[in-house]
Amino acid sequence: MITIHDKKFEVYITESEIEFAIEKITQKLFDDFQDETPVFIGVLNGSFRFVAQVIKNYNNNCTISFVKVASYHGTENAAIENLIGLNEDIKDKHVIILEDIVDTGNTVEYLKAELKKQEPKSVKIATLFFKPDVFKKDIKIDYVGIRIQDKFIVGYGLDYDGLGRNLNDVYALSENN
Ligand code: 5GP
Ligand code: MG
């Protein structure tokens, strides 16, 4: 049990389980994009560690960019603001969005629509964590690392009000708060 700000969290998924799941995603990406040079687009801040781990194992041509979509504060969902930081030309390229977690799907839905405006050859979504019970969108999540229950998690890049991104394991909000 650990405390972050005012809340107690318990270990939920270990670093080795996470990295095993990322290896499987990376293998699928490698198989699917073998003869291409895909553009990986990491969604900051939460995905930095997921992106680093994918790239570490992805032994083929690729480019890497990061964008930011302001969409979440604390433990409450908030409205999506906007997309910042896409400097790379993605026209006619295969794009893979790398997200830390897909919850309602608002963020990836918005992002996919924004990226499509630039006429890439394809846009796929890869997420490290996925909450199937919360997700309500009619879009495909192409690559999923780990499906989780509807819990608030921190660690491995994800934060609770700025803290916890440096934790190596993932922690879930405890029921004893
Ligand atoms: P969505 O738009 O799919 O509802 O939520 C996406 C964003 O909300 C994620 O990229 C992440 O930043 C944040 N988010 C959703 N669920 C969680 C969670 O359990 N923990 C943390 N730390 N962030 C979350
Ligand atoms: Mg995110």
mmCIF file of all heavy atoms in Angstrom, residues 54-103:
data_model
loop_
_atom_site.group_PDB
_atom_site.id
_atom_site.type_symbol
_atom_site.label_atom_id
_atom_site.label_comp_id
_atom_site.label_asym_id
_atom_site.label_seq_id
_atom_site.Cartn_x
_atom_site.Cartn_y
_atom_site.Cartn_z
ATOM 1 N N VAL A 54 8.279 0.235 -26.390
ATOM 2 C CA VAL A 54 7.976 -0.256 -27.743
ATOM 3 C C VAL A 54 9.212 -0.072 -28.626
ATOM 4 O O VAL A 54 9.662 -1.005 -29.307
ATOM 5 C CB VAL A 54 6.755 0.487 -28.361
ATOM 6 C CG1 VAL A 54 6.627 0.192 -29.857
ATOM 7 C CG2 VAL A 54 5.470 0.104 -27.641
ATOM 8 N N ILE A 55 9.765 1.126 -28.574
ATOM 9 C CA ILE A 55 10.894 1.471 -29.437
ATOM 10 C C ILE A 55 12.130 0.617 -29.146
ATOM 11 O O ILE A 55 12.873 0.235 -30.048
ATOM 12 C CB ILE A 55 11.213 2.982 -29.250
ATOM 13 C CG1 ILE A 55 10.082 3.833 -29.809
ATOM 14 C CG2 ILE A 55 12.543 3.369 -29.874
ATOM 15 C CD1 ILE A 55 9.502 3.370 -31.104
ATOM 16 N N LYS A 56 12.298 0.304 -27.873
ATOM 17 C CA LYS A 56 13.429 -0.530 -27.447
ATOM 18 C C LYS A 56 13.399 -1.905 -28.132
ATOM 19 O O LYS A 56 14.428 -2.478 -28.449
ATOM 20 C CB LYS A 56 13.289 -0.711 -25.932
ATOM 21 C CG LYS A 56 14.517 -1.143 -25.224
ATOM 22 C CD LYS A 56 14.278 -0.940 -23.737
ATOM 23 C CE LYS A 56 15.005 -2.008 -22.947
ATOM 24 N NZ LYS A 56 14.672 -1.916 -21.520
ATOM 25 N N ASN A 57 12.175 -2.394 -28.361
ATOM 26 C CA ASN A 57 12.012 -3.726 -28.947
ATOM 27 C C ASN A 57 11.725 -3.697 -30.439
ATOM 28 O O ASN A 57 11.698 -4.740 -31.079
ATOM 29 C CB ASN A 57 10.858 -4.462 -28.258
ATOM 30 C CG ASN A 57 11.134 -4.738 -26.799
ATOM 31 O OD1 ASN A 57 12.139 -5.347 -26.450
ATOM 32 N ND2 ASN A 57 10.271 -4.240 -25.931
ATOM 33 N N TYR A 58 11.437 -2.526 -30.999
ATOM 34 C CA TYR A 58 11.014 -2.445 -32.404
ATOM 35 C C TYR A 58 12.231 -2.275 -33.296
ATOM 36 O O TYR A 58 12.763 -1.179 -33.475
ATOM 37 C CB TYR A 58 10.043 -1.276 -32.616
ATOM 38 C CG TYR A 58 9.356 -1.338 -33.960
ATOM 39 C CD1 TYR A 58 8.213 -2.104 -34.142
ATOM 40 C CD2 TYR A 58 9.870 -0.650 -35.059
ATOM 41 C CE1 TYR A 58 7.598 -2.185 -35.379
ATOM 42 C CE2 TYR A 58 9.260 -0.726 -36.303
ATOM 43 C CZ TYR A 58 8.127 -1.496 -36.456
ATOM 44 O OH TYR A 58 7.521 -1.578 -37.680
ATOM 45 N N ASN A 59 12.637 -3.409 -33.869
ATOM 46 C CA ASN A 59 13.907 -3.443 -34.570
ATOM 47 C C ASN A 59 13.724 -3.308 -36.087
ATOM 48 O O ASN A 59 14.072 -4.201 -36.848
ATOM 49 C CB ASN A 59 14.584 -4.767 -34.201
ATOM 50 C CG ASN A 59 16.045 -4.781 -34.554
ATOM 51 O OD1 ASN A 59 16.622 -3.757 -34.891
ATOM 52 N ND2 ASN A 59 16.629 -5.967 -34.497
ATOM 53 N N ASN A 60 13.130 -2.181 -36.510
ATOM 54 C CA ASN A 60 12.889 -1.952 -37.937
ATOM 55 C C ASN A 60 12.732 -0.444 -38.152
ATOM 56 O O ASN A 60 12.668 0.316 -37.182
ATOM 57 C CB ASN A 60 11.620 -2.694 -38.362
ATOM 58 C CG ASN A 60 11.602 -3.035 -39.841
ATOM 59 O OD1 ASN A 60 12.425 -2.549 -40.622
ATOM 60 N ND2 ASN A 60 10.666 -3.868 -40.227
ATOM 61 N N ASN A 61 12.652 -0.011 -39.415
ATOM 62 C CA ASN A 61 12.513 1.424 -39.679
ATOM 63 C C ASN A 61 11.229 1.992 -39.087
ATOM 64 O O ASN A 61 10.157 1.409 -39.248
ATOM 65 C CB ASN A 61 12.472 1.696 -41.188
ATOM 66 C CG ASN A 61 13.807 1.442 -41.837
ATOM 67 O OD1 ASN A 61 14.851 1.603 -41.200
ATOM 68 N ND2 ASN A 61 13.782 1.035 -43.095
ATOM 69 N N CYS A 62 11.346 3.141 -38.446
ATOM 70 C CA CYS A 62 10.170 3.835 -37.928
ATOM 71 C C CYS A 62 10.571 5.257 -37.580
ATOM 72 O O CYS A 62 11.762 5.561 -37.450
ATOM 73 C CB CYS A 62 9.625 3.144 -36.671
ATOM 74 S SG CYS A 62 10.777 3.112 -35.276
ATOM 75 N N THR A 63 9.573 6.147 -37.457
ATOM 76 C CA THR A 63 9.852 7.475 -36.908
ATOM 77 C C THR A 63 8.955 7.659 -35.686
ATOM 78 O O THR A 63 7.950 6.956 -35.531
ATOM 79 C CB THR A 63 9.624 8.608 -37.935
ATOM 80 O OG1 THR A 63 8.241 8.668 -38.264
ATOM 81 C CG2 THR A 63 10.446 8.402 -39.197
ATOM 82 N N ILE A 64 9.355 8.593 -34.840
ATOM 83 C CA ILE A 64 8.656 8.763 -33.554
ATOM 84 C C ILE A 64 8.366 10.239 -33.314
ATOM 85 O O ILE A 64 9.267 11.076 -33.413
ATOM 86 C CB ILE A 64 9.528 8.228 -32.402
ATOM 87 C CG1 ILE A 64 9.914 6.761 -32.648
ATOM 88 C CG2 ILE A 64 8.823 8.373 -31.056
ATOM 89 C CD1 ILE A 64 11.309 6.440 -32.211
ATOM 90 N N SER A 65 7.106 10.541 -33.019
ATOM 91 C CA SER A 65 6.727 11.908 -32.643
ATOM 92 C C SER A 65 5.862 11.841 -31.395
ATOM 93 O O SER A 65 5.313 10.786 -31.081
ATOM 94 C CB SER A 65 5.876 12.553 -33.735
ATOM 95 O OG SER A 65 6.674 12.981 -34.789
ATOM 96 N N PHE A 66 5.736 12.984 -30.749
ATOM 97 C CA PHE A 66 4.849 13.048 -29.582
ATOM 98 C C PHE A 66 3.856 14.184 -29.774
ATOM 99 O O PHE A 66 4.190 15.231 -30.336
ATOM 100 C CB PHE A 66 5.662 13.295 -28.311
ATOM 101 C CG PHE A 66 6.441 12.090 -27.870
ATOM 102 C CD1 PHE A 66 7.756 11.907 -28.275
ATOM 103 C CD2 PHE A 66 5.857 11.127 -27.054
ATOM 104 C CE1 PHE A 66 8.475 10.790 -27.874
ATOM 105 C CE2 PHE A 66 6.569 10.005 -26.639
ATOM 106 C CZ PHE A 66 7.887 9.842 -27.057
ATOM 107 N N VAL A 67 2.640 13.956 -29.301
ATOM 108 C CA VAL A 67 1.642 15.022 -29.279
ATOM 109 C C VAL A 67 1.083 15.093 -27.867
ATOM 110 O O VAL A 67 1.324 14.209 -27.044
ATOM 111 C CB VAL A 67 0.479 14.771 -30.280
ATOM 112 C CG1 VAL A 67 0.981 14.790 -31.710
ATOM 113 C CG2 VAL A 67 -0.254 13.479 -29.955
ATOM 114 N N LYS A 68 0.324 16.131 -27.660
ATOM 115 C CA LYS A 68 -0.302 16.304 -26.367
ATOM 116 C C LYS A 68 -1.779 16.613 -26.571
ATOM 117 O O LYS A 68 -2.133 17.422 -27.433
ATOM 118 C CB LYS A 68 0.389 17.472 -25.652
ATOM 119 C CG LYS A 68 0.294 17.394 -24.179
ATOM 120 C CD LYS A 68 1.381 18.220 -23.516
ATOM 121 C CE LYS A 68 1.232 18.029 -22.016
ATOM 122 N NZ LYS A 68 2.347 18.543 -21.268
ATOM 123 N N VAL A 69 -2.627 15.933 -25.825
ATOM 124 C CA VAL A 69 -4.056 16.243 -25.840
ATOM 125 C C VAL A 69 -4.454 16.464 -24.394
ATOM 126 O O VAL A 69 -4.420 15.538 -23.600
ATOM 127 C CB VAL A 69 -4.912 15.081 -26.398
ATOM 128 C CG1 VAL A 69 -6.379 15.478 -26.452
ATOM 129 C CG2 VAL A 69 -4.436 14.647 -27.768
ATOM 130 N N ALA A 70 -4.768 17.702 -24.063
ATOM 131 C CA ALA A 70 -5.165 17.982 -22.687
ATOM 132 C C ALA A 70 -6.583 17.479 -22.485
ATOM 133 O O ALA A 70 -7.507 17.928 -23.148
ATOM 134 C CB ALA A 70 -5.082 19.476 -22.429
ATOM 135 N N SER A 71 -6.769 16.478 -21.616
ATOM 136 C CA SER A 71 -8.107 15.878 -21.514
ATOM 137 C C SER A 71 -8.472 15.346 -20.144
ATOM 138 O O SER A 71 -9.575 14.857 -19.948
ATOM 139 C CB SER A 71 -8.233 14.714 -22.486
ATOM 140 O OG SER A 71 -7.381 13.665 -22.101
ATOM 141 N N TYR A 72 -7.593 15.412 -19.194
ATOM 142 C CA TYR A 72 -7.875 14.702 -17.954
ATOM 143 C C TYR A 72 -7.230 15.408 -16.782
ATOM 144 O O TYR A 72 -6.092 15.832 -16.870
ATOM 145 C CB TYR A 72 -7.308 13.280 -18.050
ATOM 146 C CG TYR A 72 -7.987 12.295 -17.161
ATOM 147 C CD1 TYR A 72 -9.153 11.658 -17.559
ATOM 148 C CD2 TYR A 72 -7.466 11.996 -15.910
ATOM 149 C CE1 TYR A 72 -9.793 10.738 -16.744
ATOM 150 C CE2 TYR A 72 -8.096 11.094 -15.088
ATOM 151 C CZ TYR A 72 -9.267 10.468 -15.513
ATOM 152 O OH TYR A 72 -9.878 9.572 -14.699
ATOM 153 N N HIS A 73 -7.961 15.546 -15.683
ATOM 154 C CA HIS A 73 -7.394 16.188 -14.491
ATOM 155 C C HIS A 73 -7.804 15.404 -13.264
ATOM 156 O O HIS A 73 -8.992 15.196 -13.042
ATOM 157 C CB HIS A 73 -7.855 17.638 -14.380
ATOM 158 C CG HIS A 73 -7.575 18.427 -15.629
ATOM 159 N ND1 HIS A 73 -6.328 18.937 -15.913
ATOM 160 C CD2 HIS A 73 -8.354 18.728 -16.682
ATOM 161 C CE1 HIS A 73 -6.377 19.536 -17.090
ATOM 162 N NE2 HIS A 73 -7.589 19.417 -17.580
ATOM 163 N N GLY A 74 -6.855 14.960 -12.489
ATOM 164 C CA GLY A 74 -7.167 14.222 -11.266
ATOM 165 C C GLY A 74 -7.937 12.956 -11.571
ATOM 166 O O GLY A 74 -7.686 12.289 -12.555
ATOM 167 N N THR A 75 -8.890 12.620 -10.728
ATOM 168 C CA THR A 75 -9.646 11.382 -10.926
ATOM 169 C C THR A 75 -10.965 11.610 -11.667
ATOM 170 O O THR A 75 -11.729 10.695 -11.854
ATOM 171 C CB THR A 75 -9.937 10.681 -9.580
ATOM 172 O OG1 THR A 75 -10.623 11.606 -8.745
ATOM 173 C CG2 THR A 75 -8.672 10.209 -8.896
ATOM 174 N N GLU A 76 -11.222 12.834 -12.093
ATOM 175 C CA GLU A 76 -12.476 13.124 -12.800
ATOM 176 C C GLU A 76 -12.201 13.322 -14.292
ATOM 177 O O GLU A 76 -11.218 13.927 -14.667
ATOM 178 C CB GLU A 76 -13.108 14.428 -12.286
ATOM 179 C CG GLU A 76 -13.436 14.449 -10.816
ATOM 180 C CD GLU A 76 -14.580 13.512 -10.441
ATOM 181 O OE1 GLU A 76 -15.469 13.311 -11.295
ATOM 182 O OE2 GLU A 76 -14.561 12.990 -9.322
ATOM 183 N N ASN A 77 -13.110 12.857 -15.132
ATOM 184 C CA ASN A 77 -12.989 13.137 -16.565
ATOM 185 C C ASN A 77 -13.307 14.606 -16.826
ATOM 186 O O ASN A 77 -14.176 15.177 -16.201
ATOM 187 C CB ASN A 77 -13.976 12.287 -17.359
ATOM 188 C CG ASN A 77 -13.309 11.043 -17.891
ATOM 189 O OD1 ASN A 77 -12.278 11.126 -18.545
ATOM 190 N ND2 ASN A 77 -13.880 9.896 -17.607
ATOM 191 N N ALA A 78 -12.599 15.212 -17.755
ATOM 192 C CA ALA A 78 -12.884 16.603 -18.113
ATOM 193 C C ALA A 78 -12.915 16.686 -19.631
ATOM 194 O O ALA A 78 -12.499 15.763 -20.315
ATOM 195 C CB ALA A 78 -11.812 17.519 -17.550
ATOM 196 N N ALA A 79 -13.404 17.801 -20.153
ATOM 197 C CA ALA A 79 -13.553 17.929 -21.597
ATOM 198 C C ALA A 79 -12.191 17.944 -22.293
ATOM 199 O O ALA A 79 -11.203 18.431 -21.750
ATOM 200 C CB ALA A 79 -14.305 19.205 -21.920
ATOM 201 N N ILE A 80 -12.171 17.423 -23.509
ATOM 202 C CA ILE A 80 -10.962 17.446 -24.313
ATOM 203 C C ILE A 80 -10.689 18.870 -24.763
ATOM 204 O O ILE A 80 -11.606 19.582 -25.152
ATOM 205 C CB ILE A 80 -11.143 16.525 -25.532
ATOM 206 C CG1 ILE A 80 -11.086 15.078 -25.068
ATOM 207 C CG2 ILE A 80 -10.071 16.787 -26.580
ATOM 208 C CD1 ILE A 80 -11.600 14.118 -26.085
ATOM 209 N N GLU A 81 -9.455 19.289 -24.706
ATOM 210 C CA GLU A 81 -9.118 20.642 -25.135
ATOM 211 C C GLU A 81 -8.617 20.638 -26.578
ATOM 212 O O GLU A 81 -9.390 20.799 -27.480
ATOM 213 C CB GLU A 81 -8.154 21.289 -24.149
ATOM 214 C CG GLU A 81 -8.895 21.714 -22.879
ATOM 215 C CD GLU A 81 -8.060 21.678 -21.637
ATOM 216 O OE1 GLU A 81 -6.857 21.967 -21.726
ATOM 217 O OE2 GLU A 81 -8.596 21.361 -20.570
ATOM 218 N N ASN A 82 -7.317 20.400 -26.774
ATOM 219 C CA ASN A 82 -6.881 20.326 -28.177
ATOM 220 C C ASN A 82 -5.559 19.594 -28.373
ATOM 221 O O ASN A 82 -4.920 19.166 -27.423
ATOM 222 C CB ASN A 82 -6.898 21.719 -28.816
ATOM 223 C CG ASN A 82 -5.786 22.584 -28.328
ATOM 224 O OD1 ASN A 82 -4.632 22.234 -28.522
ATOM 225 N ND2 ASN A 82 -6.066 23.692 -27.687
ATOM 226 N N LEU A 83 -5.195 19.481 -29.646
ATOM 227 C CA LEU A 83 -4.015 18.710 -30.031
ATOM 228 C C LEU A 83 -2.830 19.645 -30.249
ATOM 229 O O LEU A 83 -2.915 20.593 -31.009
ATOM 230 C CB LEU A 83 -4.333 17.966 -31.339
ATOM 231 C CG LEU A 83 -3.193 17.230 -32.035
ATOM 232 C CD1 LEU A 83 -2.674 16.090 -31.177
ATOM 233 C CD2 LEU A 83 -3.691 16.681 -33.371
ATOM 234 N N ILE A 84 -1.723 19.344 -29.593
ATOM 235 C CA ILE A 84 -0.538 20.207 -29.690
ATOM 236 C C ILE A 84 0.658 19.369 -30.145
ATOM 237 O O ILE A 84 0.825 18.222 -29.702
ATOM 238 C CB ILE A 84 -0.143 20.788 -28.300
ATOM 239 C CG1 ILE A 84 -1.367 21.303 -27.539
ATOM 240 C CG2 ILE A 84 0.909 21.883 -28.428
ATOM 241 C CD1 ILE A 84 -1.116 21.478 -26.055
ATOM 242 N N GLY A 85 1.476 19.946 -30.997
ATOM 243 C CA GLY A 85 2.819 19.394 -31.205
ATOM 244 C C GLY A 85 3.061 18.477 -32.368
ATOM 245 O O GLY A 85 4.129 17.892 -32.469
ATOM 246 N N LEU A 86 2.094 18.337 -33.274
ATOM 247 C CA LEU A 86 2.361 17.455 -34.412
ATOM 248 C C LEU A 86 3.096 18.231 -35.506
ATOM 249 O O LEU A 86 2.499 18.953 -36.293
ATOM 250 C CB LEU A 86 1.064 16.863 -34.976
ATOM 251 C CG LEU A 86 1.313 15.847 -36.090
ATOM 252 C CD1 LEU A 86 1.952 14.572 -35.548
ATOM 253 C CD2 LEU A 86 0.039 15.517 -36.820
ATOM 254 N N ASN A 87 4.414 18.052 -35.540
ATOM 255 C CA ASN A 87 5.213 18.775 -36.534
ATOM 256 C C ASN A 87 5.511 17.920 -37.751
ATOM 257 O O ASN A 87 5.881 18.425 -38.794
ATOM 258 C CB ASN A 87 6.548 19.227 -35.913
ATOM 259 C CG ASN A 87 6.316 20.048 -34.662
ATOM 260 O OD1 ASN A 87 5.438 20.908 -34.644
ATOM 261 N ND2 ASN A 87 7.072 19.776 -33.614
ATOM 262 N N GLU A 88 5.376 16.625 -37.567
ATOM 263 C CA GLU A 88 5.768 15.712 -38.636
ATOM 264 C C GLU A 88 4.704 15.638 -39.734
ATOM 265 O O GLU A 88 3.509 15.676 -39.458
ATOM 266 C CB GLU A 88 5.952 14.326 -38.002
ATOM 267 C CG GLU A 88 6.654 13.383 -38.924
ATOM 268 C CD GLU A 88 7.274 12.212 -38.163
ATOM 269 O OE1 GLU A 88 7.438 12.298 -36.924
ATOM 270 O OE2 GLU A 88 7.598 11.229 -38.838
ATOM 271 N N ASP A 89 5.163 15.532 -40.988
ATOM 272 C CA ASP A 89 4.255 15.361 -42.116
ATOM 273 C C ASP A 89 3.836 13.890 -42.171
ATOM 274 O O ASP A 89 4.672 13.017 -42.406
ATOM 275 C CB ASP A 89 4.983 15.777 -43.403
ATOM 276 C CG ASP A 89 4.086 15.637 -44.622
ATOM 277 O OD1 ASP A 89 2.859 15.439 -44.447
ATOM 278 O OD2 ASP A 89 4.612 15.726 -45.745
ATOM 279 N N ILE A 90 2.553 13.634 -41.965
ATOM 280 C CA ILE A 90 2.095 12.232 -41.931
ATOM 281 C C ILE A 90 1.306 11.838 -43.180
ATOM 282 O O ILE A 90 0.788 10.735 -43.258
ATOM 283 C CB ILE A 90 1.255 11.945 -40.662
ATOM 284 C CG1 ILE A 90 0.031 12.860 -40.586
ATOM 285 C CG2 ILE A 90 2.118 12.074 -39.408
ATOM 286 C CD1 ILE A 90 -0.990 12.410 -39.543
ATOM 287 N N LYS A 91 1.245 12.745 -44.147
ATOM 288 C CA LYS A 91 0.503 12.441 -45.378
ATOM 289 C C LYS A 91 1.069 11.181 -46.036
ATOM 290 O O LYS A 91 2.289 11.035 -46.150
ATOM 291 C CB LYS A 91 0.585 13.636 -46.329
ATOM 292 C CG LYS A 91 -0.367 13.525 -47.510
ATOM 293 C CD LYS A 91 -0.444 14.856 -48.244
ATOM 294 C CE LYS A 91 -1.169 14.865 -49.553
ATOM 295 N NZ LYS A 91 -2.002 13.802 -49.940
ATOM 296 N N ASP A 92 0.157 10.262 -46.389
ATOM 297 C CA ASP A 92 0.528 8.998 -47.047
ATOM 298 C C ASP A 92 1.392 8.079 -46.192
ATOM 299 O O ASP A 92 2.040 7.165 -46.733
ATOM 300 C CB ASP A 92 1.208 9.257 -48.397
ATOM 301 C CG ASP A 92 0.281 9.958 -49.365
ATOM 302 O OD1 ASP A 92 -0.936 9.673 -49.317
ATOM 303 O OD2 ASP A 92 0.757 10.805 -50.143
ATOM 304 N N LYS A 93 1.420 8.288 -44.911
ATOM 305 C CA LYS A 93 2.204 7.401 -44.034
ATOM 306 C C LYS A 93 1.285 6.538 -43.178
ATOM 307 O O LYS A 93 0.123 6.878 -42.952
ATOM 308 C CB LYS A 93 3.104 8.245 -43.127
ATOM 309 C CG LYS A 93 4.043 9.138 -43.927
ATOM 310 C CD LYS A 93 5.347 9.361 -43.220
ATOM 311 C CE LYS A 93 6.267 10.186 -44.104
ATOM 312 N NZ LYS A 93 6.727 11.400 -43.419
ATOM 313 N N HIS A 94 1.850 5.456 -42.685
ATOM 314 C CA HIS A 94 1.120 4.611 -41.725
ATOM 315 C C HIS A 94 1.404 5.143 -40.328
ATOM 316 O O HIS A 94 2.556 5.194 -39.901
ATOM 317 C CB HIS A 94 1.588 3.160 -41.826
ATOM 318 C CG HIS A 94 1.166 2.491 -43.096
ATOM 319 N ND1 HIS A 94 -0.159 2.167 -43.341
ATOM 320 C CD2 HIS A 94 1.863 2.101 -44.186
ATOM 321 C CE1 HIS A 94 -0.240 1.595 -44.536
ATOM 322 N NE2 HIS A 94 0.974 1.551 -45.078
ATOM 323 N N VAL A 95 0.323 5.541 -39.656
ATOM 324 C CA VAL A 95 0.458 6.151 -38.336
ATOM 325 C C VAL A 95 -0.068 5.200 -37.265
ATOM 326 O O VAL A 95 -1.117 4.577 -37.445
ATOM 327 C CB VAL A 95 -0.342 7.474 -38.296
ATOM 328 C CG1 VAL A 95 -0.410 8.039 -36.881
ATOM 329 C CG2 VAL A 95 0.255 8.499 -39.257
ATOM 330 N N ILE A 96 0.659 5.099 -36.178
ATOM 331 C CA ILE A 96 0.197 4.306 -35.030
ATOM 332 C C ILE A 96 0.210 5.202 -33.797
ATOM 333 O O ILE A 96 1.263 5.690 -33.380
ATOM 334 C CB ILE A 96 1.090 3.075 -34.799
ATOM 335 C CG1 ILE A 96 1.108 2.199 -36.053
ATOM 336 C CG2 ILE A 96 0.588 2.275 -33.593
ATOM 337 C CD1 ILE A 96 2.430 1.573 -36.316
ATOM 338 N N ILE A 97 -0.978 5.435 -33.251
ATOM 339 C CA ILE A 97 -1.103 6.224 -32.025
ATOM 340 C C ILE A 97 -0.735 5.314 -30.849
ATOM 341 O O ILE A 97 -1.253 4.209 -30.731
ATOM 342 C CB ILE A 97 -2.562 6.716 -31.847
ATOM 343 C CG1 ILE A 97 -2.984 7.622 -33.012
ATOM 344 C CG2 ILE A 97 -2.749 7.403 -30.496
ATOM 345 C CD1 ILE A 97 -4.489 7.932 -33.050
ATOM 346 N N LEU A 98 0.165 5.787 -29.991
ATOM 347 C CA LEU A 98 0.525 5.025 -28.786
ATOM 348 C C LEU A 98 -0.025 5.756 -27.568
ATOM 349 O O LEU A 98 0.472 6.825 -27.191
ATOM 350 C CB LEU A 98 2.045 4.860 -28.683
ATOM 351 C CG LEU A 98 2.730 4.086 -29.809
ATOM 352 C CD1 LEU A 98 4.247 4.049 -29.594
ATOM 353 C CD2 LEU A 98 2.213 2.650 -29.928
ATOM 354 N N GLU A 99 -1.054 5.186 -26.950
ATOM 355 C CA GLU A 99 -1.719 5.793 -25.790
ATOM 356 C C GLU A 99 -1.386 5.005 -24.528
ATOM 357 O O GLU A 99 -1.202 3.785 -24.588
ATOM 358 C CB GLU A 99 -3.239 5.743 -25.992
ATOM 359 C CG GLU A 99 -3.917 7.062 -26.212
ATOM 360 C CD GLU A 99 -3.902 8.021 -25.024
ATOM 361 O OE1 GLU A 99 -2.983 7.969 -24.180
ATOM 362 O OE2 GLU A 99 -4.815 8.842 -24.953
ATOM 363 N N ASP A 100 -1.349 5.700 -23.408
ATOM 364 C CA ASP A 100 -1.140 4.993 -22.143
ATOM 365 C C ASP A 100 -2.375 4.180 -21.763
ATOM 366 O O ASP A 100 -2.285 3.019 -21.408
ATOM 367 C CB ASP A 100 -0.760 5.979 -21.017
ATOM 368 C CG ASP A 100 -1.719 7.167 -20.885
ATOM 369 O OD1 ASP A 100 -2.655 7.296 -21.702
ATOM 370 O OD2 ASP A 100 -1.521 7.975 -19.958
ATOM 371 N N ILE A 101 -3.544 4.847 -21.861
ATOM 372 C CA ILE A 101 -4.765 4.162 -21.420
ATOM 373 C C ILE A 101 -5.966 4.694 -22.189
ATOM 374 O O ILE A 101 -6.064 5.897 -22.440
ATOM 375 C CB ILE A 101 -4.943 4.314 -19.881
ATOM 376 C CG1 ILE A 101 -6.152 3.533 -19.368
ATOM 377 C CG2 ILE A 101 -5.002 5.768 -19.443
ATOM 378 C CD1 ILE A 101 -6.140 3.338 -17.847
ATOM 379 N N VAL A 102 -6.841 3.790 -22.592
ATOM 380 C CA VAL A 102 -8.100 4.197 -23.206
ATOM 381 C C VAL A 102 -9.208 3.893 -22.205
ATOM 382 O O VAL A 102 -9.390 2.750 -21.791
ATOM 383 C CB VAL A 102 -8.351 3.480 -24.550
ATOM 384 C CG1 VAL A 102 -9.756 3.811 -25.069
ATOM 385 C CG2 VAL A 102 -7.299 3.877 -25.587
ATOM 386 N N ASP A 103 -9.903 4.953 -21.844
ATOM 387 C CA ASP A 103 -10.948 4.895 -20.828
ATOM 388 C C ASP A 103 -12.292 5.049 -21.554
ATOM 389 O O ASP A 103 -12.781 4.080 -22.130
ATOM 390 C CB ASP A 103 -10.629 6.060 -19.859
ATOM 391 C CG ASP A 103 -11.443 6.082 -18.585
ATOM 392 O OD1 ASP A 103 -11.325 5.158 -17.773
ATOM 393 O OD2 ASP A 103 -12.179 7.060 -18.382
#
